[in-house]
Amino acid sequence: MPGTFEPIPGGGAAVALDDVEISIIRSLAVQLLELIGPGPAEDAPGDPLAELFAEGPSEPPADPVLKRLFPDAYCDPEETSASPKEAEERRAYSSEFRRFTENDLRAGKRDNALAVIRSLDALTAAGEGGAVLRLSPEESRRWLGALNDLRLAIGARLEIADEDDTDLLYRLPDEDPRKPMVMAYLWLGGLQETLVATLMP
């Protein structure tokens, strides 16, 4: 079980993690939370409807990681065949779509990252020297979402655009400063793949 998720009776998944692995995943999840930022209700904590009726941003984020996590719905940056009018229409549709959906997307990603942090905190509070993390089916889905977001974030920082870029990462020399981030990216990919397998019927 070390380093891979396995299904457990009754649904859900389990993985053995040592203290270093727990620390790495928790740190990455905290960084992801900080990057995503607080919800709109943070400005009005006494108003329970603030987040429900708050409109999201209409422009894509400037940060390349956030751009990867919250891509435009109708605009393809690789698309060059669209006429100027079509491109303008797509930008308008994307802007409108983003305005009404991004807050919910951010909230979902925050919830997933928080679920990871809380489950790891509960694990470390129960003992030392690593432990077996056991997740319910719902927790497994939240972990899967968070692992996907973490890999997207790291992939954006590494400027991974396609499979060829991933192949190049395997051949990086040990002294390359990107090597630790690459190792985290590949390791999280293995966790994600085995967690997907546990959720398949």
Side-chain angles (χ1 to χ4, degrees), residues 74-85:
Y74 296 94
C75 296
D76 181 359
E78 306 297 320
E79 175 66 58
T80 56
S81 61
S83 69
K85 182 181 178 186

Side-chain angles (χ1 to χ4, degrees), residues 40 47-56 100 103:
D47 183 359
L49 298 177
E51 190 152 358
L52 184 62
F53 292 105
E55 289 187 359
F100 291 109
N103 282 346

Side-chain angles (χ1 to χ4, degrees), residues 41-123:
E42 295 290 322
D43 297 332
D47 183 359
L49 298 177
E51 190 152 358
L52 184 62
F53 292 105
E55 289 187 359
S58 58
E59 294 299 319
D63 185 288
V65 173
L66 290 174
K67 210 176 262 189
R68 183 81 58 96
L69 290 172
F70 305 103
D72 272 332
Y74 296 94
C75 296
D76 181 359
E78 306 297 320
E79 175 66 58
T80 56
S81 61
S83 69
K85 182 181 178 186
E86 288 172 330
E88 184 59 38
E89 284 177 351
R90 289 179 189 172
R91 278 193 291 274
Y93 292 146
S94 289
S95 175
E96 193 74 356
F97 186 80
R98 182 179 295 279
R99 194 158 60 92
F100 291 109
T101 60
E102 187 167 312
N103 282 346
D104 287 342
L105 291 173
R106 283 180 183 259
K109 292 179 187 301
R110 270 193 300 274
D111 289 346
N112 291 341
L114 277 170
V116 167
I117 292 166
R118 288 176 180 143
S119 59
L120 292 175
D121 286 349
L123 191 66

Side-chain angles (χ1 to χ4, degrees), residues 27-45:
S27 174
L28 289 171
V30 168
Q31 291 175 52
L32 182 64
L33 271 178
E34 291 170 352
L35 184 65
I36 293 170
E42 295 290 322
D43 297 332

